[in-house]
Amino acid sequence: MPELPEVQTIVQDMLASDLLGRKIADVQIYWKRTIAFPNPNIFKKQIINESIREIGRRGKFIVLTLSHFTLLIHLRMTGKFFLNNQKKKTPHERVRLIFDDGRILHYDDQRKFGKWHLLESSNEKFDTIGIEPLSPSFTFQAFKALLNNSSQQIKPFLLNQRHVAGLGNIYVDEALWAAKIHPEQKAKTIGLSKQKELHKAIIDVLKQGIAYMGTTLGTQHANYFSVSGRRGGNQTQLKVFRRENLPCPRCETTLIKIKVAQRGTHICPHCQILD
DNA sequence: GCCCTTTCCTGGAAGC
DNA sequence: TGCTTCCAGGAAAGGG
């Protein structure tokens, strides 16, 4: 599932694909509900003839700055992009953008959870998104203040995009394992030294994810591919995620899978103890 | 206002 | 073998 490192890799791929300055000549919508805003007819009218001015990321959103609008895309579980010249519709294609050079950006989304928003300003959407964990504003002091202000369990706290932007199930499990914190520990009850370890772990697991160009799990129906169709490499670096019944890389205790806030959660029952 | 539950979706896996 | 049920999960909406 695309989280910050996967979205970052997609953005880097789009930038490397010479999409900047390209004009959108046409658009096809195969699943109307993918277009969250505005309604699909208005969306079509507004986006045709727009040019791509900037390509970026905010949290898990891909941000395409166009001539007059901002296109925000959230891939959720199974959204993917492929850029090529192939006109044939793929089985799970929901939207396609056709550029003035003939290339087609196919948006594939098996489970139809992904959403596109075409807005005049991205501000309204970004008001509710928290700190970028790889930006200078993600200081330990800022993170500590957020933790000390929440009685939520640490796992759902970290998954909540209002606090820290871009974390999902994979990188939260990895960061909590690295900091030796149980996912059900209440945020405000985490001690100072573990708060510091967690702050560092979040940055480390995300940077590693980007360095390995994302995490691709599974084979046939893998949930993440870059724009060029390349698989990520970070799955070989995971320490706990989807590694239940395997030994903990730190202490060799058998890793287990539990449920926290309705999410499948992977922990080492020896390293990650509730305080 | 905070926290928990439900909903949206498909297809592979598990159960019978 | 073939059918049904369960499960995966990000984020928004609804409920307590």
Side-chain angles (χ1 to χ4, degrees), chain A residues 243-254:
Chain A
R243 291 180 56 79
E244 62 268 32
N245 302 320
L246 293 169
C248 170
R250 194 163 41 209
C251 74
E252 299 197 337
T253 303
T254 303

Side-chain angles (χ1 to χ4, degrees), chain A residues 1 15 28 33-34 56 60 64 74 80 88 91 102 111 123 129 144 148 181 204 257 261:
Chain A
M1 50 250 48
L15 286 167
Q28 289 288 332
R33 290 165 73 176
T34 294
K60 298 177 199 170
L64 298 183
H74 199 303
K80 317 171 176 66
K88 193 172 175 234
R111 289 168 69 181
N123 296 346
I129 300 184
K144 185 174 84 170
N148 290 341
I181 297 170
D204 288 348
K257 183 175 180 182

